[in-house]
């Protein structure tokens, strides 16, 4: 999968150093993946929440953080739409962000 944009991850782990290794592992896993449907995501990330509008919520670092991605399965692109704490996540509409 092609991930847009790694810069968002890097900026986040610069503010939250405890998330760096987990985000790098997520990036590596997703980069190597070839997801064609939400069920493909579930094979790797059983706890991922599949939402409307091709949005997926990933739990990062033992569920300390949440990452919302928009997935374009046809083109193999993962757009990082949000990453933050649970409090920050609670303030957004993950299906529309």
């Amino acid at each position: 999968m092609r991930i847009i944009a790694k810069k968002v991850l890097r900026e986040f782990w610069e503010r939250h150093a405890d998330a760096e290794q987990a985000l790098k592992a997520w990036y590596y896993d997703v980069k190597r993946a070839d997801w064609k449907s939400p069920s493909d995501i579930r094979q790797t990330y059983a706890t991922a929440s599949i939402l409307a509008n091709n949005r997926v919520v990933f739990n990062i670092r033992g569920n300390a953080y949440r990452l919302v991605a928009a997935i374009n399965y046809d083109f193999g692109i993962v757009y990082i739409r949000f990453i933050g704490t649970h409090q920050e996540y609670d303030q957004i509409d993950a299906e529309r962000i």
Side-chain angles (χ1 to χ4, degrees):
M1 302 297 288
R2 197 167 138 223
I3 303 167
I4 301 176
K6 186 176 182 179
K7 179 182 177 185
V8 174
L9 299 178
R10 186 172 40 254
E11 288 173 350
F12 187 81
W13 77 56
E14 286 172 356
R15 292 189 319 273
H16 302 273
D18 62 329
E20 182 174 0
Q21 291 306 315
L23 288 172
K24 284 181 176 179
W26 179 87
Y27 181 86
Y28 179 76
D29 288 345
V30 175
K31 187 91 173 149
R32 293 181 359 176
D34 183 26
W35 294 331
K36 300 294 184 197
S37 70
S39 63
D40 293 341
I41 295 170
R42 288 286 190 152
Q43 290 178 5
T44 306
Y45 292 98
T47 61
S49 298
I50 309 299
L51 306 178
N53 296 325
N54 290 325
R55 299 299 195 267
V56 180
V57 180
F58 296 93
N59 297 317
I60 303 295
R61 210 194 122 241
N63 208 18
Y65 303 105
R66 297 249 173 115
L67 185 151
V68 178
I71 314 287
N72 184 318
Y73 298 100
D74 293 334
F75 291 100
I77 300 173
V78 175
Y79 300 92
I80 298 170
R81 305 298 298 154
F82 168 85
I83 183 162
T85 65
H86 277 271
Q87 289 175 337
E88 294 166 335
Y89 174 81
D90 289 341
Q91 298 174 15
I92 65 164
D93 181 353
E95 294 180 352
R96 301 199 190 286
I97 195 164

